[in-house]
Amino acid sequence: MATSPKHSAGKLSCSRSLLLVLFCLVGTACGTTAQTGKIIFDDPRGTVSLKTISDRSIQANHPINLEPALLAQLLKGVEIQDQDLGHNHVAGFQSVVIGPYPSVPVFSDDQISFLAPLLAEGLRTAAADQSVAYRVVTTREGANRFQSPTTETTTGSLYAYGRQLYVILSNIATTRW
């Protein structure tokens, strides 16, 4: 028995609709499966949380017990070169004339006091597929009433892999109001 062209077109349209709905459901499921995380601490000074490591080839050695004092020493030693290139971007010439740029600490003593115990807790509770993410915010008032306050935000993460501790700086930003 041969099927009519109308019946075949209706069957094809239904199959396409069903396939389209299936693609939408799969796309929505993939789009809504965010990286798992757990907030350890969050207040106006900053946040420390656990985040899934996106590179599946890295299996961190977590949980690991590191003393906050050791982490404080590590954070105290993290420095960057403050190149402050300015609007002319003459860093190469400046370094010839005045020498290399000085290194400056990334974290202040207050930030280190805030972060070290929270990072230690994060490393103690993190799973092998998680890193400890941090965000620390410091607001400084202007030196006088004509200067605006500045807000410094530093973000990043850390994880233990093998016998090494990886500290990642994602962002160091200063905002003037």
Side-chain angles (χ1 to χ4, degrees), residues 56-137:
R56 296 196 189 273
S57 68
I58 297 174
Q59 288 295 304
N61 296 32
H62 299 156
I64 185 170
N65 189 18
L66 294 177
E67 292 298 317
L70 179 63
L71 288 168
Q73 284 181 325
L74 174 113
L75 294 175
K76 189 170 275 214
V78 176
E79 295 182 341
I80 59 170
Q81 283 190 331
D82 187 13
Q83 295 184 4
D84 194 24
L85 296 175
H87 62 282
N88 293 328
H89 300 286
V90 290
F93 180 70
Q94 284 179 349
S95 65
V96 169
V97 175
I98 61 174
Y101 292 100
S103 293
V104 295
V106 171
F107 301 102
S108 69
D109 290 340
D110 289 340
Q111 291 172 330
I112 291 170
S113 298
F114 169 74
L115 281 175
L118 295 170
L119 295 176
E121 181 183 343
L123 290 170
R124 275 193 307 274
T125 58
D129 65 342
Q130 293 178 316
S131 66
V132 181
Y134 60 87
R135 179 182 60 83
V136 64
V137 179

